[in-house]
Amino acid sequence: MRKWIIWLLVLAIVGGGLGFYLYNKPKTSMEAMKTDNVLAASDLVQEFENDEAAAEIKYLDKTVEVSGVVREITDAGIILDSDNDLIGVLCEFENPNDLKDIKVKDNVKIKGICTGKLLDVVLSRSIILK
Amino acid sequence: MKVFSHFFIAVFFLIHSAGAQKYFTKTAIVTFESNTPMEKINATNKSGTCVADFGSGNVEFAILVKGFQFEKALMQEHFNENYMESSKYPKAVYKGKMEGVDKIDLSKNGKHKVKTSGQLTLHDVTKPFSNDVQLEVKDGKISTSTNFTIAVADYGIVVPALVRDNIAKNVAVKVQANLEPLK
């Protein structure tokens, strides 16, 4: 009988500990995230332009690496060029300090999570790949 | 030929003068906070898009739900998967009108309070929405800010009984947008 109680206690502690660990787990760092797709910024824009619903299924929540030319630098990130002057890939940076060495017209490779398309296709938590 | 060139000049000025009244941003900041004695949750999104026409008063604001960043991974997962169902409904959109903005002199620096009312779509539920917005015109740019609360239940978001004490029934939202003239 006593053995049961001890086992129950152990289980409760392990369960509680696991729950607490999961609850407090920080987000996986972008560096450590597995890349799902590698493509050019202009191709990503093209896919969203052609069929937004299909592109959402393919890219939403996915970690993508896009390469392209910096069109514009914003408060929170950069916008990469595409073949369409009105649309680009807006990369919102996880750490704004990463922006300080970037200039317009630079060729860059960015890793981030695709969250969808507003005026631009948006990548959140972006980092620069060296 | 001359008629044509006059026509084009007229069209150009028409577009130009209409364009001068339009302002936009792609980097509006939206934060929200859910405060209960059990838990404090907040999240930020820095990629809100806003287009505001100070001639007609039309304003449109959109944000990607998946762009909200939380402190804890699990919170972000629950927010997207259980509450907002952001894979099915990726965008939150507000479309409305700003009252009396055509009377604001945008060439002069100054602060204004403007009422906006329209329709807010969240989680595929559209509801009438109205709120006051603070505008500050400074050197041709307009910074705007507004605060409001959203009743989670109004937008068909169901919170399970188990975590009912952890999530506020009314979530406080702050929006800050620095608008620039649309060229």
Side-chain angles (χ1 to χ4, degrees):
Chain A
M1 190 60 199
R2 200 189 242 160
K3 239 183 182 169
W4 272 108
I5 293 169
I6 291 170
W7 274 115
L8 219 66
L9 260 172
V10 168
L11 203 71
I13 291 167
V14 170
L18 191 71
F20 186 75
Y21 166 74
L22 282 176
Y23 169 73
N24 280 297
K25 209 170 115 182
K27 287 188 265 185
T28 313
S29 74
M30 189 45 66
E31 283 85 354
M33 297 275 275
K34 200 178 130 280
T35 301
D36 296 302
N37 296 85
V38 181
L39 71 171
S42 53
D43 292 340
L44 184 62
V45 167
Q46 195 62 54
E47 284 196 49
F48 269 88
E49 278 290 273
N50 289 348
D51 186 345
E52 190 168 339
E56 279 177 347
I57 290 167
K58 194 168 165 191
Y59 293 110
L60 278 195
D61 274 335
K62 296 290 191 306
T63 305
V64 292
E65 284 179 32
V66 293
S67 41
V69 176
V70 178
R71 175 189 289 171
E72 193 184 325
I73 297 173
T74 70
D75 315 337
I78 55 174
I79 299 173
L80 298 179
D81 240 336
S82 76
D83 301 329
N84 185 330
D85 283 346
L86 296 173
I87 311 165
V89 177
L90 189 147
C91 310
E92 182 187 323
F93 272 54
E94 188 154 53
N95 181 2
N97 273 340
D98 294 351
L99 283 168
K100 64 178 193 288
D101 295 329
I102 299 179
K103 295 179 295 297
V104 172
K105 297 216 169 121
D106 277 358
N107 253 303
V108 291
K109 196 169 184 190
I110 304 287
K111 184 180 178 187
I113 296 173
C114 185
T115 55
K117 177 177 167 286
L118 292 173
L119 293 174
D120 304 280
V121 179
V122 181
L123 301 187
S124 68
R125 300 187 62 200
S126 300
I127 56 166
I128 290 256
L129 295 181
K130 293 288 173 233
Chain B
M1 196 61 206
K2 210 171 185 182
V3 177
F4 267 113
S5 66
H6 278 164
F7 175 74
F8 279 119
I9 290 166
V11 167
F12 174 78
F13 275 106
L14 211 68
I15 290 167
H16 197 74
S17 61
Q21 301 284 69
K22 275 190 181 166
Y23 285 74
F24 88 113
T25 182
K26 294 171 172 180
T27 54
I29 299 173
V30 180
T31 56
F32 71 80
E33 229 176 69
S34 150
N35 276 329
T36 66
M38 291 287 284
E39 199 167 22
K40 190 176 167 165
I41 300 167
N42 58 61
T44 303
N45 188 323
K46 293 180 184 165
S47 306
T49 293
C50 180
V51 181
D53 186 331
F54 286 82
S56 66
N58 287 331
V59 59
E60 214 176 307
F61 193 103
I63 199 151
L64 291 166
V65 176
K66 284 183 188 295
F68 279 100
Q69 300 301 322
F70 292 68
E71 184 195 347
K72 290 171 180 158
L74 206 62
M75 284 177 181
Q76 192 158 331
E77 192 185 311
H78 288 170
F79 171 77
N80 281 298
E81 287 173 14
N82 304 351
Y83 305 135
M84 295 298 281
E85 299 177 81
S86 60
S87 291
K88 261 197 274 177
Y89 317 119
K91 288 171 197 173
V93 179
Y94 171 71
K95 280 184 197 176
K97 282 240 176 213
M98 303 175 287
E99 282 173 19
V101 284
D102 52 331
K103 291 178 187 73
I104 296 176
D105 184 354
L106 296 172
S107 63
K108 271 196 200 132
N109 289 354
K111 289 183 181 177
H112 308 271
K113 195 167 106 179
V114 163
K115 194 187 175 195
T116 176
S117 49
Q119 305 280 320
L120 177 65
T121 305
L122 264 185
H123 189 238
D124 208 31
V125 175
T126 301
K127 294 244 164 191
F129 177 90
S130 71
N131 202 45
D132 285 343
V133 182
Q134 313 290 332
L135 302 181
E136 186 177 0
V137 181
K138 204 177 174 198
D139 307 330
K141 293 180 182 178
I142 306 171
S143 59
T144 69
S145 65
T146 183
N147 296 333
F148 53 91
T149 57
I150 296 274
V152 173
D154 282 358
Y155 291 89
I157 298 162
V158 183
V159 177
L162 192 67
V163 289
R164 197 154 286 164
D165 293 336
N166 297 57
I167 293 167
K169 291 186 173 56
N170 294 298
V171 173
V173 184
K174 272 187 204 167
V175 179
Q176 219 219 319
N178 298 324
L179 305 173
E180 290 182 27
L182 189 67
K183 279 159 219 146

